[in-house]
Amino acid sequence: MGGSTTSAAKSSGTTLLAAANLLMLSTIASRILGYLRDVLIFAKFGQNNLTDAYNAAFSIPDFLYMILVGGALSSAFIPVFSSYLARNQEAEGWRVLSIIFNWIMLLLILGVTFGVIFAPQLVDVLVPGFDPGTKTLTVNLTRIMFVQVIFMCLSGISTGILHSYKNFTAPALGSVLYNLGIILGGLLLAAPIEHYFPGYGIAGFSVGVVLGAMLNFAVQAVALLRLGMRYSFSLDLRHPGVQELLALIVPVFIGLGASQFNLFVNQNLASGLAEGLVSALRAAQRLMQLPITLFGITVGIAFFPTMTQLAAQEKWDNFKATLIMGVRTVVFVTIPASFGLAALSEPVIRFMYEFRSGAFTAEDTKQTAYALVFYTIGIFAYAAIHTLSRAFYALKDTKKPVAVAVLSIVVNVVLSIVLVRYMAQGGLALAYSVAGIFNMVVLIVLLNWQVGDIGSWGLVKSTVQTTLISLLMGGAVWLLTRFWELYLPVSGKLAQLAEIVAAMALGMGLFMFLAVIWKMPEAEQLLGILRRKFNRKKQLPEPVETEEKQD
């Protein structure tokens, strides 16, 4: 019985990892466009008060989006809507969605109106350390970006519906178009065109954010129409499905609000530091988010519907096997990525943002890399949290992960206030990382209490092994870059790229070699997947023309 359960879990896990791979590919495309967007902005404006204002202006509209929709709606909506689908009550599920949608739109109208009117006061609270000119610019950019919240909320609702139907393609494509819209808006609107168009400067990229949000929703709206969406106007909060959804979603709203408060605290403290350090923090955090998004979020999204189904069927052995497979996979991949990113922090940032004709300087590279090194400490934890929290959501328990999130925010705020005095932006990044590790550990402890041992000892053993191997790998990569920069030129982009590629090849090769020598199950599983793919290619039938020649 146990063997069949394990076998079924492995088979399901392989399918889920395949779905995660699809999401990773679209995420990579989106991140490449996001990188091009950042390069355009930094090359044009540098890392100064203009980019500080642009980055700060994102925060308040993002806060409104996160508390109204963000990850909360999909996290609470998928279990409820999926249960209606399982009972062949699809029409009733759409009715529940319509009621929630109507209330979100009403709250959104109120929130956007309030935000636009009181933008100066909100900016004063968010970044009190900005000079008057930078504050004025931040207010103007914030008002523009409030428009994008409307379309991002519509996109967030659409994503929740499509994921319930296990349709990951349209939301993934939408995220790609979002960054493409920002790039197009910036290119077309930022710079003046002779005597015909004055140019909007950094505000052109803010208008591009709105364009990107519109494109994101448009592609998902087409997918919804193909599903046969059924909308009805109703504000009936007494509907049983709405009551169930609200019971799940309200705690998540609180948790996401607390998480955004964490960002506000960081920006508040960073605004009192030297000019450009708000942008340095944001640029470093974007790089930190890359492995989290590629591996943590994609695995969490891919595993969530299956964990929800297994929990509903009370197949707890399969549930725990699926959960721990997701977490161990994420940890096995993100810990070496963290060490590698820390070792390559300056070469990567120099390659990505420093251009001879640009305004991003070598000092900007050092300031951003300094924050990035401390951010990398928490990458594995924040990546794992996406799967761990969704395990609770699959159990229809949103209170525990929210309570833990609030506690982690308290940890972050206290550490930030203390460490920023001694480590500047590095202290803020370190506080954020430590809070993430605290969050992950407490979630694992609570899951063990709720569903029984999920395989914690195996996770601890795997984490220690992966960390030791990654430490050796990171040291080798760092030494390679030091020798490379001593004896080889790194002034040109091709030379910088060659340094990074060589270091990555050494790091990945050394890590996998050591993992296989140590006989880590994750390495053997990865090699097994590669062998199966290779064998399938070898077993493909020969082309028809070859058979005809033989005949």
Side-chain angles (χ1 to χ4, degrees):
M1 185 75 174
S4 63
T5 298
T6 304
S7 177
K10 286 183 178 179
S11 176
S12 174
T14 301
T15 303
L16 292 172
L17 289 175
N21 286 336
L22 176 63
L23 289 170
M24 285 180 197
L25 291 175
S26 63
T27 303
I28 289 170
S30 176
R31 289 289 171 168
I32 290 172
L33 288 172
Y35 159 65
L36 292 176
R37 172 200 66 202
D38 290 347
V39 166
L40 286 171
I41 293 172
F42 282 129
K44 177 69 177 176
F45 303 104
Q47 189 166 275
N48 48 41
N49 65 316
L50 295 178
T51 48
D52 280 353
Y54 175 79
N55 287 314
F58 263 104
S59 303
I60 299 170
D62 270 3
F63 174 73
L64 181 61
Y65 164 70
M66 289 301 292
I67 62 171
L68 286 180
V69 180
L73 184 65
S74 59
S75 298
F77 175 73
I78 289 175
V80 174
F81 194 72
S82 296
S83 65
Y84 278 105
L85 295 180
R87 297 194 300 266
N88 294 319
Q89 296 178 330
E90 187 175 3
E92 200 63 21
W94 281 101
R95 176 173 168 77
V96 171
L97 171 66
S98 297
I99 295 169
I100 294 296
F101 171 79
N102 293 331
W103 277 105
I104 286 176
M105 287 300 105
L106 287 174
L107 293 172
L108 179 63
I109 291 169
L110 292 174
V112 169
T113 303
F114 178 88
V116 169
I117 293 173
F118 295 101
Q121 291 77 13
L122 294 172
V123 168
D124 278 335
V125 173
L126 178 64
V127 281
F130 278 4
D131 61 72
T134 305
K135 278 187 182 178
T136 300
L137 177 61
T138 306
V139 168
N140 294 333
L141 299 183
T142 299
R143 284 173 168 158
I144 294 172
M145 292 195 200
F146 261 116
V147 180
Q148 69 130 352
V149 178
I150 299 170
F151 297 100
M152 290 304 292
C153 282
L154 292 171
S155 298
I157 294 168
S158 303
T159 297
I161 300 169
L162 293 170
H163 283 178
S164 295
Y165 285 96
K166 297 187 179 180
N167 180 339
F168 301 109
T169 305
L173 179 59
S175 67
V176 173
L177 292 176
Y178 174 70
N179 283 314
L180 186 60
I182 298 175
I183 291 171
L184 290 175
L187 288 175
L188 295 174
L189 301 175
I193 303 175
E194 295 183 356
H195 303 293
Y196 304 102
F197 179 68
Y200 295 141
I202 193 75
F205 284 92
S206 295
V207 176
V209 169
V210 177
L211 174 62
M214 292 172 65
L215 293 174
N216 186 1
F217 170 62
V219 71
Q220 295 189 69
V222 172
L224 285 177
L225 291 173
R226 289 176 180 172
L227 277 178
M229 61 178 291
R230 308 169 193 176
Y231 169 77
S232 60
F233 182 79
S234 175
L235 298 172
D236 183 14
L237 291 176
R238 293 174 296 178
H239 189 288
V242 175
Q243 291 287 318
E244 182 183 11
L245 185 57
L246 288 175
L248 294 173
I249 206 171
V250 169
V252 183
F253 279 155
I254 296 170
L256 289 171
S259 178
Q260 290 297 299
F261 179 74
N262 178 26
L263 177 62
F264 289 169
V265 170
N266 282 359
Q267 290 198 158
N268 183 290
L269 294 171
S271 69
L273 299 175
E275 182 181 291
L277 292 188
V278 171
S279 295
L281 266 176
R282 190 164 181 98
Q285 195 171 49
R286 281 177 182 151
L287 286 170
M288 172 214 186
Q289 289 294 330
L290 180 59
I292 294 173
T293 304
L294 285 178
F295 308 113
I297 295 179
T298 53
V299 168
I301 290 173
F303 277 51
F304 185 36
T306 300
M307 287 193 295
T308 300
Q309 181 182 3
L310 292 171
Q313 296 170 346
E314 297 185 355
K315 294 182 178 179
W316 301 118
D317 287 341
N318 282 350
F319 175 86
K320 290 187 284 186
T322 301
L323 166 62
I324 202 64
M325 177 184 294
V327 176
R328 287 182 63 162
T329 299
V330 165
V331 169
F332 180 74
V333 174
T334 53
I335 289 180
S338 302
F339 277 88
L341 191 55
L344 288 171
S345 55
E346 286 198 27
V348 166
I349 294 167
R350 179 172 58 229
F351 171 73
M352 292 178 67
Y353 298 126
E354 272 192 49
F355 291 88
R356 289 178 182 174
S357 59
F360 195 96
T361 66
E363 181 60 26
D364 294 331
T365 292
K366 290 180 180 179
Q367 296 290 356
T368 306
Y370 176 58
L372 178 59
V373 168
F374 291 104
Y375 270 134
T376 59
I377 295 171
I379 285 176
F380 80 100
Y382 282 103
I385 286 169
H386 286 284
T387 300
L388 292 167
S389 60
R390 282 177 170 84
F392 282 100
Y393 301 152
L395 298 168
K396 296 188 177 180
D397 180 357
T398 56
K399 294 180 181 178
K400 288 188 183 71
V402 167
V404 175
V406 172
L407 283 175
S408 69
I409 298 310
V410 174
V411 172
N412 177 72
V413 170
V414 172
L415 289 176
S416 294
I417 293 172
V418 173
L419 295 177
V420 71
R421 300 175 184 176
Y422 307 101
M423 302 170 62
Q425 74 271 30
L428 297 176
L430 179 59
Y432 186 81
S433 293
V434 172
I437 295 171
F438 170 83
N439 192 332
M440 182 197 74
V441 170
V442 177
L443 287 178
I444 291 172
V445 171
L446 293 177
L447 275 170
N448 278 306
W449 284 349
Q450 188 155 342
V451 298
D453 182 28
I454 62 172
S456 300
W457 171 243
L459 175 61
V460 170
K461 181 182 176 182
S462 176
T463 301
V464 171
Q465 288 177 315
T466 305
T467 301
L468 292 175
I469 293 173
S470 299
L471 184 60
L472 293 172
M473 178 271 293
V477 168
W478 184 84
L479 286 173
L480 174 63
T481 60
R482 299 287 76 78
F483 279 108
W484 189 291
E485 292 174 13
L486 278 175
Y487 299 107
L488 294 172
V490 288
S491 56
K493 287 301 168 187
L494 285 178
Q496 293 170 10
L497 179 61
E499 177 190 13
I500 294 169
V501 170
M504 288 178 63
L506 171 66
M508 289 188 291
L510 180 59
F511 176 81
M512 283 304 298
F513 173 75
L514 294 173
V516 170
I517 292 297
W518 209 338
K519 297 182 179 179
M520 293 188 66
E522 294 84 358
E524 293 175 359
Q525 182 182 22
L526 178 59
L527 290 176
I529 293 172
L530 294 175
R531 287 193 199 101
R532 284 194 294 273
K533 287 184 177 181
F534 179 73
N535 289 335
R536 278 200 299 269
K537 288 180 179 180
K538 287 181 67 177
Q539 292 168 6
L540 288 174
E542 294 181 351
V544 174
E545 67 172 13
T546 304
E547 294 177 0
E548 289 175 351
K549 287 179 181 179
Q550 290 175 349
D551 290 342

